[in-house]
């Protein structure tokens, strides 16, 4: 598979590790031509509700791998890991499963003090 341009080693490691941990047990030995919607569901079912962000990333990564394989192996088949028009009919949208929780805003009047405190801090 083609390595992403500009991807750092940590990102590349996370990319393959999530596939090894979550996807390979279900589809690791299958030919891309035999991976279907039931396989995508099997990979995602156990993690969609409890690890929604991870599940969403795993789904996206499977989709990329299948797209690449279909393109370079001349497979004329729809991608069973695609969200729009496929898995969006099976799973609730990630934002509905794990809604985004934002930090509270600081009052505008306190912003100069917060900025000063941040400038003093050193990062590790």
């Amino acid at each position: 598979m083609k390595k992403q341009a500009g991807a750092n080693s940590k990102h590349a490691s996370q990319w393959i590790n999530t596939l090894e941990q979550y996807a390979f047990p279900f589809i690791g030995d299958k030919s891309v031509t035999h991976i279907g919607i039931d396989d995508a569901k099997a990979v995602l079912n156990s993690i969609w509700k409890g690890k929604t962000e991870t599940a969403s990333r795993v789904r996206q990564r499977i989709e990329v791998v299948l797209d690449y394989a279909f393109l370079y192996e001349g497979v004329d088949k729809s991608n069973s890991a695609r969200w729009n028009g496929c898995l969006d009919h099976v799973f609730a949208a990630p934002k509905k499963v794990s809604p985004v929780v934002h930090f509270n805003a600081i009052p505008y009047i306190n912003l100069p003090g917060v900025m000063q405190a941040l400038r003093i801090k050193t990062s590790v």
Side-chain angles (χ1 to χ4, degrees):
M1 175 140 173
K2 180 182 171 189
K3 184 179 175 186
Q4 270 188 304
N8 65 36
S9 60
K10 180 180 177 183
H11 180 261
S13 171
Q14 288 173 335
W15 219 92
I16 191 65
N17 287 342
T18 55
L19 289 175
E20 287 174 344
Q21 183 174 358
Y22 298 107
F24 286 12
F26 296 95
I27 59 175
D29 293 333
K30 287 192 163 202
S31 164
V32 295
T33 58
H34 293 108
I35 295 173
I37 187 70
D38 288 336
D39 298 305
K41 286 169 39 179
V43 171
L44 300 173
N45 269 333
S46 64
I47 58 174
W48 195 259
K49 289 184 180 174
K51 298 179 181 180
T52 310
E53 182 61 30
T54 300
S56 184
R57 289 179 184 181
V58 169
R59 185 209 58 78
Q60 291 168 353
R61 291 168 184 169
I62 294 169
E63 180 180 10
V64 167
V65 170
L66 292 178
D67 275 347
Y68 187 88
F70 292 172
L71 177 66
Y72 287 97
E73 294 186 17
V75 177
D76 186 19
K77 177 182 172 183
S78 65
N79 191 325
S80 56
R82 189 161 319 286
W83 180 253
N84 291 331
C86 188
L87 292 176
D88 62 340
H89 297 294
V90 177
F91 295 101
K95 288 182 180 180
K96 290 188 178 191
V97 177
S98 296
V100 176
V101 179
H102 298 283
F103 291 104
N104 292 329
I106 62 165
Y108 181 75
I109 194 79
N110 295 350
L111 185 59
V114 170
M115 292 305 297
Q116 184 179 9
L118 287 173
R119 287 185 189 104
I120 293 170
K121 278 192 153 308
T122 58
S123 61
V124 177

